[in-house]
């Protein structure tokens, strides 16, 4: 019943401004859009179910992949109210331009955040610190999710004329990239001797008819077979995320597409490690790499970027936090060492 009747009433500041810009109408629009969806009921139902589950077990920790999403705050809120510690492991790449990782003024003190946040490397830790996260809550545990990037294993050589196009998760970005490809290669690259292999994101399926470009096309893939998709392709065209690093770590040169209509939020992450193109330069840049090869020294730059972003996993540090951590206020305060084995919930 509480979930079905849930209604969140925001407490607006006296002045709704971002700098000198008035954003009152924008906030009102978002508030009414939110009120007209079933999401509020779903979020409340999630919280109530989680709270009941936490009440039925002797949980000491809740552990989840940390991206500072709204449902993560609900997890922290429910767990910490019962004296259960919360740890988040940052796994995805981030940059100073990723707003979810930037806290507002005073937000760190009042927002339900994890008691500890494990960072994938020194770069991520620095970004979170600069974003307002309390330094004492951060620790380095290495890139657990991407430990394979440091294996040094390369795929067998494949022709660069076989190009893997990895589509992003957000539909506007998908449409932007496919539109640029259609303009650059209306016949799917047949005249230039190229062949495109389209790989949609599992959370954003798209049909060949929607793409409108001649290409090799398969079913929407699972999360774990990106390596298989790269095996027959010698060049990878991608929009963002970690795909470029995964490709280059496997010995495949990459080309990052940057939309002319969106902010380049990945610029600080990739820096000079990989060539970049836009809609107007896609054809020229792609053909140059396919024919002449990637820029000199690309593998060294790739390795430097991977080392900066993805530190080796530190299992000992991760296990140590479950053995001894400073106590905190609230239920369970003063407990500094948990018995073994530890009841841990992984979200």
């Amino acid at each position: 019943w509480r979930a079905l009747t849930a209604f969140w009433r925001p407490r607006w500041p006296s002045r709704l401004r971002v700098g000198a810009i008035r954003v009152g109408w924008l906030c009102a629009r978002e508030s009414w859009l939110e009120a007209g969806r079933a999401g509020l009921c779903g979020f409340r139902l999630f919280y109530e179910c989680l709270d009941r589950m936490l009440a039925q077990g002797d949980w000491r920790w809740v552990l989840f992949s940390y991206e500072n999403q709204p449902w993560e705050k609900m997890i922290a809120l429910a767990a910490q109210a019962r004296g259960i510690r919360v740890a988040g492991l940052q796994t995805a790449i981030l940059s100073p331009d990723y707003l979810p990782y930037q806290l507002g003024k005073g937000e760190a003190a009042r927002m339900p955040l994890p008691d500890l946040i494990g960072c994938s490397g020194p770069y991520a830790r620095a970004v979170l610190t600069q974003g307002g996260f309390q330094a004492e809550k951060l620790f380095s545990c290495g890139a657990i999710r991407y430990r394979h990037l440091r294996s040094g294993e390369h795929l067998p050589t494949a022709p660069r004329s076989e190009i893997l196009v990895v589509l992003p998760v957000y539909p506007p970005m998908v449409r932007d990239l496919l539109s640029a490809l259609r303009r650059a290669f209306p016949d799917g690259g047949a005249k230039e001797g190229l062949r495109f292999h389209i790989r949609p994101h599992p959370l954003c399926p798209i049909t060949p008819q929607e793409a409108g470009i001649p290409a090799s096309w398969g079913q929407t893939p699972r999360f774990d077979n990106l390596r298989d998709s790269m095996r027959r392709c010698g060049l990878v065209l991608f929009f963002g995320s970690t795909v470029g690093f995964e490709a280059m770590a496997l010995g495949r040169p990459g080309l990052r597409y940057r939309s002319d209509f969106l902010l380049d939020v990945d610029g600080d992450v990739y820096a000079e490690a990989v060539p970049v193109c836009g809609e107007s330069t896609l054809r020229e840049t792609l053909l140059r790499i396919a024919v002449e090869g990637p820029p000199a020294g690309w593998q060294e730059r790739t390795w430097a970027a991977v080392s900066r972003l993805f530190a080796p996993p530190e299992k000992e540090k991760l296990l140590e936090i479950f053995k001894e951590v400073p106590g905190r206020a609230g239920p369970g305060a003063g407990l500094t060492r948990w018995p073994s084995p530890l009841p841990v919930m992984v979200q």
Side-chain angles (χ1 to χ4, degrees), residues 7-235:
F7 191 80
W8 176 65
R9 294 176 176 83
R11 290 177 293 181
W12 301 113
S14 57
R15 287 188 172 185
L16 288 170
R17 295 177 180 271
V18 176
I21 303 174
R22 299 173 64 181
V23 294
W25 286 111
L26 179 62
C27 292
R29 173 184 179 274
E30 292 301 315
S31 178
W32 281 108
L33 284 174
E34 186 74 15
R37 299 189 181 114
L40 284 174
C41 299
F43 288 144
R44 184 59 184 261
L45 181 62
F46 170 82
Y47 177 85
E48 295 291 342
C49 291
L50 175 64
D51 185 61
R52 291 192 182 188
M53 184 167 64
L54 292 173
Q56 294 173 3
D58 184 25
W59 305 105
R60 306 299 178 88
W61 284 92
V62 175
L63 178 66
F64 54 79
S65 178
Y66 182 72
E67 294 183 355
N68 203 25
Q69 300 283 3
W71 50 88
E72 296 173 23
K73 294 182 174 67
M74 289 192 292
I75 294 172
L77 186 66
Q80 291 168 347
R82 295 186 175 276
I84 303 169
R85 295 185 183 276
V86 179
L89 298 182
Q90 170 262 321
T91 56
I93 61 172
L94 52 86
S95 85
D97 296 319
Y98 285 17
L99 292 183
Y101 296 100
Q102 309 297 311
L103 301 181
K105 184 178 180 180
E107 190 174 357
R110 65 176 184 270
M111 189 64 62
L113 298 171
D115 297 291
L116 294 170
I117 300 175
C119 303
S120 62
Y123 174 79
R125 189 169 184 171
V127 169
L128 291 177
T129 302
Q130 294 168 6
F133 289 82
Q134 297 169 335
E136 61 271 18
K137 289 189 173 184
L138 305 177
F139 72 98
S140 296
C141 63
I144 299 172
R145 180 181 176 188
Y146 296 103
R147 57 185 180 275
H148 60 282
L149 295 184
R150 304 181 65 90
S151 66
E153 176 188 356
H154 284 187
L155 293 174
T157 303
R160 290 191 298 271
S161 57
E162 303 287 330
I163 302 170
L164 177 64
V165 182
V166 182
L167 299 181
V169 65
Y170 299 110
M173 295 181 177
V174 172
R175 291 192 292 267
D176 193 339
L177 177 53
L178 290 176
S179 174
L181 266 180
R182 285 195 298 269
R183 288 188 175 93
F185 302 97
D187 62 352
K191 185 171 65 175
E192 294 82 5
L194 305 178
R195 185 161 57 172
F196 294 105
H197 303 266
I198 309 293
R199 183 185 191 272
H201 193 282
L203 298 181
C204 187
I206 184 172
T207 65
Q209 292 74 24
E210 291 174 310
I213 181 173
S216 170
W217 203 281
Q219 298 296 321
T220 300
R222 297 175 301 157
F223 280 98
D224 59 354
N225 68 349
L226 180 59
R227 178 189 298 259
D228 294 336
S229 300
M230 292 181 183
R231 193 172 297 277
R232 59 178 174 174
C233 299
L235 177 59

